[in-house]
Amino acid sequence: MPDLDDLRAWRQLSHASGVGRASLRRLLTVCGSPQAALDAPQALWQEHAGASAAQGLAARHDSDAAADAAWGATARWLDGNAQ
């Protein structure tokens, strides 16, 4: 099973506003992994995925708290500690 951090990075990248299949593919090709793409500078996002994707990726931090809570619940469930 994939690591939860890897899954979280994939979810953040693939669900960011403005990131479509083509821009996602370009970012993964350039950066090598979802986490590396998320850690890339905004200029790289804009160059390889466009202004809309770069803006969506920059704004994704606004919803990270809710996503973290959901991922924590998922991790506990997968570990058999659902509460």
Side-chain angles (χ1 to χ4, degrees):
M1 180 169 67
D3 178 63
L4 284 179
D5 289 336
D6 293 338
L7 290 173
R8 182 177 182 273
W10 178 260
R11 186 209 51 82
Q12 285 183 312
L13 185 62
S14 63
H15 287 96
S17 178
V19 177
R21 286 187 285 197
S23 56
L24 177 61
R25 193 175 310 113
R26 284 191 300 273
L27 288 172
L28 290 172
T29 298
V30 169
C31 298
S33 73
Q35 188 61 56
L38 290 174
D39 293 340
Q42 190 166 353
L44 185 139
W45 297 337
Q46 187 157 344
E47 178 182 348
H48 295 283
S52 179
Q55 189 174 26
L57 286 165
R60 80 183 193 286
H61 297 291
D62 295 339
S63 63
D64 277 354
D68 285 344
W71 277 108
T74 301
R76 287 189 302 278
W77 178 80
L78 288 171
D79 287 339
N81 300 319
Q83 295 179 16

